[in-house]
Amino acid sequence: MIGKLACWILLAHCCLVGSSAKARAQVADSVLALQEQVATTIATAEPSVVAINRAVAPDEDRLELLGSPLLQSRAALQSQLPYTSGAGVVIDAKGLVLTQYLNVRVGDRHTITTSEGKTYVATIKGADPRSGLAVLSVEGASLKPIEFADAEKLRKGKFVVAIANPVGIAEIGQASASLGIVSNIGVKTPREANFGNAFDEGGGITSTSLHQLGTLIETDAKLGWSSGGGALVDLDGKLVGVMTDAVTLPGHEVAAHYAIPINKAFRGIIERLKRGEEVEYALLGVTLGDNPALLGGDADTRATVLGVFQGGPADAAGLLAGDIILSVDSEPIETSQELQLKVGLMAPGRKVAVEVLRSGQNRTTEMTLAKYFVAGEKVVTAQQRSWRGLRVDFSTALPLEKLTDSSVAGLIDPEGCVLVSAVAENGAAWQSGVRPGMFVSHVGAQRVTTPEEFYAAASDADETINLRFTENRRPAEFERDAQDLRQFEE
């Protein structure tokens, strides 16, 4: 799939008709040198691109309906036959493979197939629906890792090569390659693009993808549909992006020509996935718009605060509806989406200086960022921290509706608290009535505002210690406030 290069060669020769023989020879040499470089690039990167195969576990309800043992055994066998779900890129000699989130699924059996025709069992090391990335772990494999490039250096017009075609890798041991240029950077995806298999109760997409905010690389180096997870490399054969077909809508299958960039932010995400850790994203605790005229002010295109969640970082720092956020840690902010992306890629618990414009005056305040709730199924294999069977998280680590309800009910203490995210059943905390969804404001006499503060205070505590939980307000007042806030959000 390198036909475009032949067209460029022909075009170069046509443009030099009538020029000197020396000039034509120089152009021919340059084009042939480019051709040789592209071939070397493909040969360098191709061994690191693998096919990912999945075998779906049998559906017990379906088997029960079939009745006949013979039909049941056939159905069970068919459901367990592996199929190629996409491509992946080897990123660690110890057997770690980077791919798009859509290529893996909890409960399925995964294998990878190399261009040498070898197949290895793989398990999900980590998966994150917000970034649309996942990492598989392969035991006992001898794999060639690819080297990362700095996607920050990409510019429109730079040459890139896409390498994938997982079916070709699995069946004949050969990936396909496509040469092209970077067509655009910082591309925003439509809301219906699903990078993380997240659906609401009605079956609609509940997308919390970062890529709606403008992250993707667009390229005219296109590969067939289902090549998501393949490699987008520069002419040195280094990885600049992971191909994704998440932007393709069902029924409108087109070639994959977008990639998740391997820049500083996404390299940090990949490192957490390699360790099997949860990827966490920060939150200000505001609803945003790009036009203060909505609040009766003058028209503007900057990030405008429309509302503030009670108990969130912005509330604690004194932000008000109508404030225009100008910068975060001295980095200018132009739009609400730019603000969401910049803050979202920061770590919860980080302290930042936020500059706002209020009533014609600039003012700067410091706040500690909270945590953004990510819809969709995360895969976390690293051991998670707990205390006596109790696990806590940032107070904002809840779906929007539950966060709204907890906020207006006064359960999220404005001075700080943490969310009980999990409780081991039949443990001491469970026996005492502690349940997920409750909020802890104090360990003994000490206020706790982050998980780190909770675990530090708990580890220093005596065998017997009191946890102080926040209290709900009167139900009637809560319901009235919740209804008002939902109308405001709509």
Side-chain angles (χ1 to χ4, degrees), residues 162-463:
I163 305 174
N165 185 8
V167 174
I169 297 171
E171 293 185 355
I172 61 174
Q174 290 191 42
S176 295
S178 178
L179 173 66
I181 63 169
V182 174
S183 306
N184 212 340
I185 55 176
V187 177
K188 299 175 184 177
T189 65
R191 182 166 183 79
E192 59 268 25
N194 185 9
F195 286 79
N197 287 329
F199 301 94
D200 59 26
E201 293 180 356
I205 292 173
T206 304
S207 179
T208 56
S209 169
L210 278 176
H211 308 301
Q212 290 179 7
L213 306 175
T215 60
L216 294 184
I217 302 166
E218 182 182 5
T219 174
D220 67 350
K222 300 177 183 179
L223 292 174
W225 183 69
S226 83
S227 287
L232 186 70
V233 300
D234 60 18
L235 289 186
D236 292 325
K238 296 180 181 179
L239 191 70
V240 294
V242 175
M243 301 297 294
T244 179
D245 49 20
V247 183
T248 299
L249 303 181
H252 300 275
E253 286 76 10
V254 296
H257 58 109
Y258 291 94
I260 299 169
I262 306 298
N263 55 26
K264 181 179 179 181
F266 283 92
R267 286 194 296 272
I269 290 170
I270 292 167
E271 285 302 313
R272 292 189 70 92
L273 292 174
K274 286 169 62 176
R275 296 192 295 266
E277 298 172 354
E278 179 185 0
V279 181
E280 296 182 321
Y281 301 91
L283 176 76
L284 281 176
V286 296
T287 53
L288 293 164
D290 289 328
N291 192 345
L294 296 171
L295 296 169
D298 295 330
D300 202 303
T301 59
R302 288 172 290 183
T304 304
V305 176
L306 300 182
V308 179
F309 282 105
Q310 180 178 335
D315 179 40
L319 264 64
L320 302 174
D323 287 347
I324 298 174
I325 298 178
L326 302 177
S327 69
V328 176
D329 277 351
S330 300
E331 293 189 26
I333 298 296
E334 298 295 334
T335 67
S336 61
Q337 287 191 330
E338 183 181 347
L339 174 64
Q340 288 175 283
L341 182 60
K342 192 178 297 290
V343 171
L345 289 170
M346 294 178 176
R350 173 175 169 175
K351 292 185 177 179
V352 295
V354 177
E355 181 187 11
V356 302
L357 176 65
R358 180 187 300 168
S359 302
Q361 293 186 337
N362 291 17
R363 57 185 71 198
T364 300
T365 184
E366 188 177 81
M367 65 180 70
T368 301
L369 297 174
K371 180 178 176 179
Y372 179 90
F373 174 81
V374 177
E377 189 169 16
K378 298 178 283 287
V379 177
V380 180
T381 57
Q383 184 174 359
Q384 295 177 276
R385 196 170 183 181
S386 65
W387 175 78
R388 298 181 186 177
L390 184 70
R391 201 158 65 233
V392 301
D393 208 333
F394 286 87
S395 61
T396 54
L398 285 168
L400 179 59
E401 185 173 351
K402 290 184 179 180
L403 177 62
T404 300
D405 290 350
S406 298
S407 175
V408 298
L411 286 170
I412 301 179
D413 193 324
E415 295 184 25
C417 59
V418 294
L419 168 72
V420 177
S421 59
V423 185
E425 292 191 22
N426 300 320
W430 185 274
Q431 297 284 353
S432 300
V434 182
R435 296 292 184 270
M438 299 173 71
F439 296 86
V440 180
S441 62
H442 291 77
V443 176
Q446 183 175 336
R447 163 81 62 178
V448 290
T449 63
T450 66
E452 194 66 31
E453 289 180 359
F454 174 89
Y455 290 119
S459 65
D460 292 338
D462 296 331
E463 186 65 28

Side-chain angles (χ1 to χ4, degrees), residues 9 11-32:
I9 294 173
L11 178 61
H13 279 290
C14 289
C15 291
L16 284 167
V17 171
S19 59
S20 69
K22 181 178 180 181
R24 289 197 298 271
Q26 288 175 338
V27 170
D29 288 344
S30 297
V31 173
L32 290 173

